[in-house]
Amino acid sequence: MRLGAGTFAACCVAIEVLGVAIFLRGFFPVPVRSSAGTGQQSELPAPEPSAGATSNWTKLPPPLFSKVVIVLIDALRDDFVFGPKGMKFMPYTTYLVEKGASHSFVAEAKPPTVTMPRIKALMTGSLPGFIDIVRNLDSPVLLEDSVIRQAKAAGKRIVFYGDETWVKLFPKHFAEYDGTTSFFVSDYTEVDNNVTRHLDQVLKRGDWDMLILHYLGLDHIGHVSGPNSPLIGHKLREMDGVLMKIHTSLLSQEKERALPSLLVLCGDHGMSDTGSHGASSMEEVSTPLIFISSAFERKPGGIRHPVRVQQTDLAATLAIGLGLPIPKDSVGSLLFPVVERRPMREQLRFLHLNTVQLSKLLQENVATYEKEPAFEQFKMSERLHGNWVRLYLEEGRSDVILGLGTKVVKQYLEALKTLSTALSTQGAQYDVYSMAMGTAMVLEVLALLLLSTPQALRPQAELQVPLLSPAFSLLFYLGFLALSAVHVVVCTSVENSCYLCSLSWLAAGGVMLLVSALLCAAMSALVKACQAGDLRKHPARPRPRWSELELLLLLGTLGHMLSLGASSFVEEEHQTWYFLVNTLCLALSQQMHRSFLEDDQAVPTLPTADVACKVQARPVLPGDLRKWTVLASPWLVLVCCRMLRSLNQTGVQWAHRPDLGHWLTSSDHKAELSALAALSLLVIFLLTQRGCSPVSKGALALGLLGVYCYRVAVGNLLFPWRPDSRAISKGIIEARFVYVFVLGILFTGTKDLLRSQVLAAEHKIKTMGLWEIFSGLILLAALLFRPHNLPVLALSLLTQAVLANFVWKPLGHSAVEVTVMHYWFGQAFFYFQGNSNNIATVDISTGFVGFDSYAEAPAVLLTAFGTFAGPLLWASHLVHFLSSEASSGTALGHAGFCYALAGSASAAIYLVLVTALRYHLFIWSVFSPKLLYEGARLLLTAAVCAFCSAMDHTGTSGA
Amino acid sequence: MKDTDIKRLLYAHLLCIFSIILSTFVPSFFLENFSVLKTHLTWLCICSVLVTVFNLVLYLVVKPNTSSKRSSSSPKVARFLKCCIYFLMSCFSFHIIFVLYGAPLIELVLETFLFAVILSTFTTLPCLCLLGPNLKAWLRVFSRNGVSSIWENSLQITTISSCMGAWLGAFPIPLDWERPWQVWPISCTLGATFGYMAGLIISPLWIYWNRKRLTYKNN
């Protein structure tokens, strides 16, 4: 079967996407749980150890607090309470922390720092897997053991107001609830009022045992305007008021009850300096955790630095405080200060319960638990505890016994610490079988692509697909049989869950079939390549030498792929791309000088002969002028890149550096931002309109005006004639106005493309259609980009124009070189936009542009487009550029093939690297997010390749 | 081309390497707390001055370009001034290139500039010594098949290897090893220095290796 190179590449990438999907399913493990079934309450609590003496304390200790109120403020960072902001905006809380009866901690959240996994961690005490981030949007019911479940089982009445996620996680657990949806990010007053309005009534009623309040406003402010926005102060003050109200109410009612009540203030995760969260920077993982109760000792005063603890410790502490069994999967340890005023015997009992629960978890998850130092420590402290209880029962309380008890407590605390860390570092189990199948598929596709490169990059850009080669059919059947055998063996022997085994037989068989067919195809391609190599040796045709530029492109692409094996290079990948793009510009400049020089010396036989023609064909002065513009163009691109680089600082190491973007988005510089945005929109219009039909020109102009109006309506920009209007709306009308023009331009473009196919000769119409599609995408990007990112769009267009007119056309680069350069620039612009290999930098507010409420499909699509706008725009420019070049019969096929090769090679190498590094310390914080990005990018590559090959087809059918 | 020429080249290059080694060890006798990493800027100054002096002396002694015709029309002072201007211009253009590559624009200006100075010392200075302020000759040497003596050939190799060294020296900067030499521009200056030294060693060997294949117009 003969196929065009582009089509072949698109098919290959599609298969590779499937392989990556299987790999991802195997890579992101389901978190390990306690094997004991959840739900049944049959287990008795561990009795007190007593070393021979008879202790009759086998029941759970009684609760310490009668009522618990948990105030969870989304994205409450530790310095919002303990730092200068807290002092300024939360005076009551600061007073409680410094002088009141309270214990404060800084609780460290584990990545992913996203709301749902954090709620799980707080309530179950376990560490949710990374994949929870993907399930964040539609949280399934929590099946694990949690404090909420235990409280419900013990007959406590729980009341909840706040984020809907809780209601989804714990359905039927709350006696009363009112969930607020968290999806509309730009709303930060209504969500919190919806929680606070219940407060007076519920506090007065007092018919509950546990009250949970989850405030979302602070997180929304962070997403919209960052942690330094003045709105944060207002919100903190509001929260302080809420806290004061609850605390005074609890205190006033306390006299009527026997036991004191407990007020817990916590955050689920922090907030990075850009206001988002998801990753593992210090600002994102540090949250305050404050216990306030009259049971605690009133502090004499003075500021203490809060101790760092784990977020998972809350579950165990709450369970003990309420006299409940500790959740089974909890890896947290009791926060000792909370119980330190209880009698010594009770303290030891609490600690014992917690260590027993942790050691059980250890026994279930570690085969060689007896050798673990944590387990030894546990045994030792249990023995000491037993001895102490015997002494206590024999001699009663005395100072000596108390002193001994303190030693046992110390021993217990150490055991708790080691147990807790041993459990949290327990590597989650990978589904190696699915990972191996996915990797095999991806590597086979890569091999197939690599082996068919010489064939595909011939001028015909066609290749014989060796899929049906009969000589290897035996290999195919053998491979299939062997894989099936492996499948049966693996699925019958492995205890832990395996994704491929859980598939139906038909689907698994399909995967086997695909893998063996690919193997067979790759083998036959290899044989063919060997034969071709043998043939080629005889005529002794000299291989054309690689030019410096080609060498740079090849080595740069390869080097970047290999660099992803180091975590720092993943974190700072933008630096790699900026470096490579700069070097590329310098190399282009060098090539240009050389070609002009050789042109001056009138050397006729050079690949750049058409430069000579073009330059000499013109009159002297314009020719000279053109020469200078051409020589200056790479420097112009370099200057553009340098400016964009200082617009958004991304990555990890230098992310805190001040950048232009922050300066522009701060509320003092609205006028400057407005001017810059207007200028950028003007540049975008000037550069985009040149290829459009008059109708689309008008639509584009109106659309760009609409973009500005939308940003004014949202409150980012200003109209010069209305410099201080404060009215802020959601800008739905304006955004929809722009959407209409986007769709109109895209429609016109598609119509032109279809017409070019029908008329079968109009090359110009096709080019115009492609440009219209390109400009439609640009208009959409202009709408979605934050205003300070509009220069990225403008300079991207400028760079494309400069490179196309003054570099690629005059120097006559081949389609392959142009494709790889587009790939590089696309990657660089991905980072210029402010993206990084961190989930936190995904700007989810783009999903809400023009929508009243959350709608899943458009929100996901818009967010994906907004994130990958850079690579996508460069890819569509590539398609337009190559098809506008008249001489390119097969350029698009070559381009599609190269794009596919670059994308799939990087994905394949990254999969192999991640598999090799799966026990690396940073696997969850650094490598996994990058893996998700790489998967998304491969999907994008598949789409681009499909578009390329479609355009290629229309081209060939048109010609 | 004779073997003696290559030998002279080798000795000259060894002296240049010696100058760099000298610059790392000798100042510690005169200056307190001197070390290449901690007082990097001092080392940069000393190194560039020493390399300049050695290069000038060597080219005055060895006189490699006596064979090529020299434009004796312009007086020597003017030539010298022109050389200085060229050198300064090269420093500034290197500085601009570093900033374009992402060096901070306002902070660490002195560091960046001294890096530009030392890279100019390794690349532009030998060119000025050998070719004089003659742009045509420079373009000839650095275009394809334009070299006309082993000196020019070695010039090409050392220049390219110094630049490559500086380029490669940027690679460790983003790594999180927290070493003192990962700070801008230390790794790059060290890279350039090692690149220069590697070029000095490689070029005589390479010329010796390829002496059969190399034919120069003038020799």
Side-chain angles (χ1 to χ4, degrees):
Chain A
M1 188 167 62
R2 290 195 80 77
L3 268 182
T7 321
F8 173 71
C11 294
C12 282
V13 179
I15 296 173
E16 199 170 352
V17 168
L18 185 68
V20 170
I22 293 177
F23 179 91
L24 286 180
R25 189 63 186 70
F27 183 78
F28 289 111
V30 188
V32 191
R33 289 169 190 161
S34 161
S35 61
T38 53
Q40 307 85 311
Q41 189 76 333
S42 56
E43 262 177 273
L44 287 173
E48 188 177 29
S50 50
T54 49
S55 152
N56 51 1
W57 199 11
T58 51
K59 276 195 236 150
L60 270 179
L64 309 177
F65 306 105
S66 60
K67 281 182 191 296
V68 174
V69 180
I70 301 174
V71 181
L72 199 163
I73 300 172
D74 215 287
L76 187 66
R77 202 161 80 177
D78 61 340
D79 68 320
F80 288 169
V81 177
F82 302 134
K85 275 209 182 90
M87 298 255 190
K88 194 169 163 202
F89 300 117
M90 301 189 82
Y92 189 73
T93 317
T94 312
Y95 164 76
L96 284 179
V97 166
E98 283 175 5
K99 302 202 177 83
S102 69
H103 291 295
S104 33
F105 305 94
V106 173
E108 190 179 318
K110 285 268 186 292
T113 44
V114 182
T115 299
M116 195 202 53
R118 286 344 323 144
I119 295 176
K120 283 189 180 175
L122 283 168
M123 287 299 124
T124 65
S126 63
L127 295 168
F130 192 85
I131 200 65
D132 277 323
I133 201 172
V134 184
R135 290 197 241 145
N136 189 13
L137 293 181
D138 54 333
S139 46
V141 177
L142 187 69
L143 297 171
E144 295 151 60
D145 197 4
S146 66
V147 179
I148 305 279
R149 174 193 289 268
Q150 295 287 1
K152 169 100 167 109
K156 308 227 177 218
R157 268 177 68 84
I158 312 169
V159 175
F160 170 77
Y161 300 114
D163 188 359
E164 214 179 21
T165 318
W166 286 75
V167 184
K168 286 184 189 157
L169 279 176
F170 307 104
K172 296 184 190 158
H173 283 72
F174 301 121
E176 194 183 313
Y177 63 83
D178 180 19
T180 51
T181 171
S182 73
F183 282 124
F184 201 70
V185 174
S186 53
D187 164 33
Y188 40 78
T189 45
E190 200 77 347
V191 274
D192 288 355
N193 288 342
N194 279 344
V195 179
T196 313
R197 65 179 173 173
H198 299 285
L199 211 53
D200 283 326
Q201 194 203 352
V202 84
L203 285 174
K204 203 186 288 172
R205 241 175 31 213
D207 57 346
W208 41 266
D209 303 294
M210 198 170 176
L211 172 64
I212 302 171
L213 306 169
H214 187 150
Y215 283 98
L216 285 168
L218 187 67
D219 182 50
H220 289 184
I221 292 173
H223 279 298
V224 171
S225 51
N228 296 320
S229 146
L231 291 170
I232 295 270
H234 290 298
K235 185 51 78 178
L236 289 178
R237 198 165 279 147
E238 180 190 334
M239 293 293 118
D240 196 46
V242 167
L243 202 80
M244 181 157 83
K245 184 187 275 181
I246 298 171
H247 191 221
T248 44
S249 157
L250 285 178
L251 282 181
S252 68
Q253 290 171 12
E254 211 156 70
K255 289 154 207 151
E256 302 152 23
R257 284 188 286 271
L259 287 172
S261 48
L262 174 69
L263 173 57
V264 181
L265 171 69
C266 59
D268 57 346
H269 50 73
M271 185 189 288
S272 70
D273 279 335
T274 54
S276 57
H277 54 89
S280 53
S281 74
M282 209 54 185
E283 291 82 19
E284 284 160 276
V285 301
S286 306
T287 64
L289 174 60
I290 304 171
F291 293 86
I292 305 160
S293 169
S294 53
F296 303 146
E297 200 173 351
R298 195 172 272 274
K299 280 173 222 163
I303 304 155
R304 302 175 194 184
H305 287 285
V307 186
R308 284 195 86 81
V309 296
Q310 292 297 315
Q311 213 176 27
T312 45
D313 297 345
L314 179 66
T317 312
L318 269 185
I320 281 173
L322 284 169
L324 304 169
I326 299 172
K328 293 191 188 72
D329 304 321
S330 161
V331 298
S333 52
L334 171 67
L335 294 173
F336 188 69
V338 174
V339 299
E340 75 189 348
R341 284 183 78 193
R342 307 297 301 174
M344 180 57 76
R345 192 172 171 196
E346 265 184 51
Q347 289 181 17
L348 289 174
R349 178 89 170 108
F350 294 139
L351 289 168
H352 180 239
L353 283 173
N354 195 355
T355 40
V356 166
Q357 175 260 333
L358 285 180
S359 65
K360 251 187 207 158
L361 204 59
L362 190 74
Q363 284 178 31
E364 276 160 13
N365 286 314
V366 184
T368 57
Y369 66 92
E370 276 163 337
K371 283 173 197 153
E372 288 273 330
F375 194 74
E376 281 165 20
Q377 272 187 351
F378 159 65
K379 280 289 165 208
M380 165 124 109
S381 28
E382 198 176 35
R383 211 167 44 240
L384 282 176
H385 184 190
N387 290 337
W388 186 86
V389 169
R390 202 188 58 206
L391 276 177
Y392 178 81
L393 289 178
E394 283 166 4
E395 295 179 21
R397 62 181 62 187
S398 72
D399 285 349
V400 183
I401 299 265
L402 274 185
L404 278 179
T406 325
K407 273 187 190 157
V408 183
V409 166
K410 252 185 209 152
Q411 184 69 31
Y412 258 130
L413 287 178
E414 236 162 75
L416 269 182
K417 205 171 164 190
T418 35
L419 271 171
S420 185
T421 35
L423 279 168
S424 350
T425 51
Q426 262 302 300
Q429 296 282 311
Y430 294 101
D431 177 1
V432 178
Y433 177 53
S434 307
M435 278 163 67
M437 287 307 264
T439 316
M441 214 184 247
V442 169
L443 286 180
E444 280 166 359
V445 169
L446 180 63
L448 197 60
L449 277 174
L450 279 177
L451 287 171
S452 45
T453 312
Q455 220 185 349
L457 294 187
R458 278 182 316 187
Q460 299 90 309
E462 269 189 340
L463 39 84
Q464 195 79 39
V465 177
L467 205 60
L468 303 173
S469 143
F472 285 94
S473 53
L474 185 62
L475 178 70
F476 169 65
Y477 290 117
L478 281 181
F480 180 58
L481 278 179
L483 283 173
S484 308
V486 167
H487 185 73
V488 169
V489 169
V490 168
C491 287
T492 48
S493 65
V494 174
E495 303 93 26
N496 53 359
S497 64
C498 178
Y499 175 64
L500 278 182
C501 297
S502 64
L503 279 179
S504 74
W505 278 98
L506 210 63
V511 172
M512 308 287 135
L513 216 65
L514 199 59
V515 171
S516 43
L518 281 174
L519 178 70
C520 167
M523 286 303 285
S524 86
L526 179 67
V527 170
K528 216 175 250 176
C530 288
Q531 282 168 352
D534 279 347
L535 281 180
R536 197 174 295 164
K537 257 176 208 164
H538 294 298
R541 200 173 55 183
R543 279 183 57 79
R545 263 190 67 188
W546 290 76
S547 73
E548 285 99 341
L549 189 71
E550 284 167 331
L551 216 57
L552 172 71
L553 289 175
L554 182 76
L555 289 181
T557 314
L558 266 181
H560 159 256
M561 287 169 195
L562 294 177
S563 80
L564 294 181
S567 62
S568 309
F569 281 129
V570 176
E571 283 172 346
E572 309 289 332
E573 198 192 341
H574 57 289
Q575 304 278 7
T576 315
W577 283 117
Y578 299 165
F579 197 68
L580 284 178
V581 163
N582 276 347
T583 311
L584 174 68
C585 287
L586 287 185
L588 282 175
S589 155
Q590 185 256 0
Q591 196 190 21
M592 214 165 253
H593 277 102
R594 179 169 279 175
S595 81
F596 272 106
L597 208 71
E598 280 159 1
D599 180 38
D600 277 352
Q601 289 167 355
V603 182
T605 53
L606 274 170
T608 53
D610 64 337
V611 181
C613 303
K614 273 185 187 165
V615 174
Q616 282 162 10
R618 287 157 184 267
V620 181
L621 194 69
D624 246 17
L625 200 66
R626 186 176 165 79
K627 182 173 155 182
W628 286 112
T629 9
V630 167
L631 283 181
S633 58
W635 297 94
L636 185 64
V637 175
L638 273 174
V639 171
C640 284
C641 289
R642 183 64 180 89
M643 287 196 289
L644 288 177
R645 181 194 186 107
S646 47
L647 190 63
N648 286 310
Q649 285 282 5
T650 71
V652 173
Q653 279 194 50
W654 294 283
H656 59 277
R657 286 277 188 85
D659 58 15
L660 222 60
H662 276 93
W663 187 82
L664 284 171
T665 44
S666 78
S667 46
D668 306 338
H669 302 115
K670 238 178 185 178
E672 288 90 338
L673 182 63
S674 305
L676 188 66
L679 182 70
S680 310
L681 288 175
L682 188 69
V683 171
I684 291 171
F685 176 71
L686 288 179
L687 287 171
T688 319
Q689 51 87 27
R690 59 206 161 104
C692 289
S693 61
V695 180
S696 333
K697 257 181 217 176
L700 188 70
L702 285 174
L704 289 173
L705 276 179
V707 169
Y708 194 86
C709 294
Y710 169 72
R711 285 296 165 191
V712 171
V714 174
N716 295 132
L717 302 181
L718 296 172
F719 280 129
W721 56 89
R722 244 186 3 195
D724 40 40
S725 68
R726 289 260 167 251
I728 290 176
S729 74
K730 290 170 186 170
I732 291 185
I733 299 168
E734 289 87 347
R736 290 192 178 160
F737 176 78
V738 181
Y739 280 134
V740 167
F741 287 113
V742 171
L743 290 178
I745 295 174
L746 287 178
F747 176 74
T748 326
T750 323
K751 194 192 73 191
D752 280 348
L753 282 182
L754 289 177
R755 211 171 64 173
S756 79
Q757 199 167 15
V758 173
L759 290 181
E762 285 289 336
H763 185 72
K764 238 181 189 168
I765 292 182
K766 185 184 165 193
T767 316
M768 196 197 270
L770 281 172
W771 185 264
E772 273 163 353
I773 287 185
F774 178 59
S775 47
L777 292 180
I778 282 178
L779 183 55
L780 183 58
L783 176 65
L784 296 182
F785 274 16
R786 299 215 176 180
H788 74 273
N789 269 341
L790 285 174
V792 178
L793 209 56
L795 288 183
S796 146
L797 281 167
L798 186 67
T799 313
Q800 284 164 353
V802 165
L803 285 175
N805 286 324
F806 300 126
V807 181
W808 292 325
K809 274 181 199 166
L811 286 185
H813 285 119
S814 70
V816 176
E817 286 168 323
V818 171
T819 309
V820 180
M821 286 186 224
H822 269 94
Y823 176 72
W824 282 25
F825 273 102
Q827 300 284 45
F829 273 84
F830 176 74
Y831 294 104
F832 283 142
Q833 264 173 260
N835 286 321
S836 70
N837 285 327
N838 215 327
I839 302 288
T841 47
V842 175
D843 182 6
I844 50 169
S845 64
T846 50
F848 299 96
V849 174
F851 286 90
D852 226 344
S853 58
Y854 178 73
E856 186 157 3
V860 168
L861 262 178
L862 287 177
T863 310
F865 179 80
T867 311
F868 287 98
L872 199 68
L873 288 179
W874 277 86
S876 48
H877 181 264
L878 171 73
V879 175
H880 168 260
F881 175 74
L882 286 181
S883 60
S884 70
E885 291 287 272
S887 62
S888 64
T890 54
L892 270 176
H894 286 168
F897 189 83
C898 274
Y899 209 83
L901 193 61
S904 62
S906 104
I909 290 180
Y910 194 66
L911 284 200
V912 173
L913 285 173
V914 162
T915 313
L917 296 172
R918 65 188 180 283
Y919 296 117
H920 194 281
L921 184 60
F922 297 147
I923 188 78
W924 297 118
S925 55
V926 177
F927 291 107
S928 313
K930 171 71 186 159
L931 190 62
L932 291 180
Y933 272 108
E934 201 67 33
R937 186 166 290 150
L938 193 69
L939 210 59
L940 181 89
T941 312
V944 169
C945 290
F947 188 59
C948 257
S949 71
M951 288 303 107
D952 199 18
H953 274 277
T954 54
T956 45
S957 64
Chain B
M1 169 181 46
K2 289 166 237 159
D3 281 358
T4 50
D5 276 345
I6 300 178
K7 234 175 225 169
R8 274 198 336 174
L9 182 76
L10 180 68
Y11 290 145
H13 281 184
L14 285 179
L15 268 175
C16 284
I17 293 175
F18 178 68
S19 75
I20 290 174
I21 295 172
L22 216 61
S23 74
T24 57
F25 290 111
V26 170
S28 53
F29 295 119
F30 305 108
L31 298 170
E32 274 179 48
N33 306 327
F34 176 84
S35 82
V36 175
L37 292 183
K38 278 174 197 151
T39 51
H40 192 67
L41 296 186
T42 327
W43 175 73
L44 280 184
C45 298
I46 294 170
C47 183
S48 68
V49 168
L50 265 182
V51 171
T52 313
V53 170
F54 268 72
N55 262 312
L56 286 178
V57 170
L58 271 177
Y59 283 112
L60 287 180
V61 171
V62 181
K63 285 193 179 137
N65 49 354
T66 41
S67 55
S68 64
K69 56 181 188 283
R70 200 183 260 178
S71 54
S72 51
S73 56
S74 57
K76 284 202 170 163
V77 181
R79 265 174 67 88
F80 181 72
L81 279 179
K82 226 175 168 184
C83 278
C84 288
I85 290 168
Y86 271 48
F87 184 77
L88 267 182
M89 270 168 58
S90 105
C91 290
F92 283 119
S93 42
F94 271 127
H95 189 106
I96 289 169
I97 288 177
F98 298 152
V99 171
L100 288 177
Y101 257 95
L105 187 66
I106 299 158
E107 304 155 50
L108 302 174
V109 176
L110 188 64
E111 279 85 349
T112 310
F113 187 71
L114 280 179
F115 174 34
V117 169
I118 197 141
L119 195 57
S120 303
T121 321
F122 292 151
T123 54
T124 320
L125 186 82
C127 294
L128 283 173
C129 289
L130 193 65
L131 307 169
N134 180 0
L135 272 185
K136 279 253 169 65
W138 288 35
L139 290 175
R140 173 177 58 79
V141 170
F142 287 100
S143 62
R144 248 175 239 155
N145 312 322
V147 285
S148 61
S149 73
I150 56 168
W151 294 94
E152 287 174 6
N153 210 330
S154 73
L155 189 70
Q156 211 183 18
I157 292 172
T158 49
T159 307
I160 289 172
S161 66
S162 317
C163 288
M164 280 293 287
W167 191 78
L168 289 173
F171 279 59
I173 296 179
L175 290 171
D176 56 358
W177 299 339
E178 315 263 326
R179 296 299 149 92
W181 49 263
Q182 278 179 296
V183 182
W184 169 258
I186 298 184
S187 65
C188 287
T189 51
L190 292 184
T193 315
F194 286 124
Y196 178 58
M197 280 161 49
L200 288 178
I201 295 170
I202 288 168
S203 57
L205 297 179
W206 189 83
I207 291 167
Y208 181 73
W209 209 257
N210 292 311
R211 64 191 185 282
K212 299 269 157 56
R213 207 167 54 78
L214 291 171
T215 47
Y216 300 112
K217 285 174 209 157
N218 294 18
N219 289 27

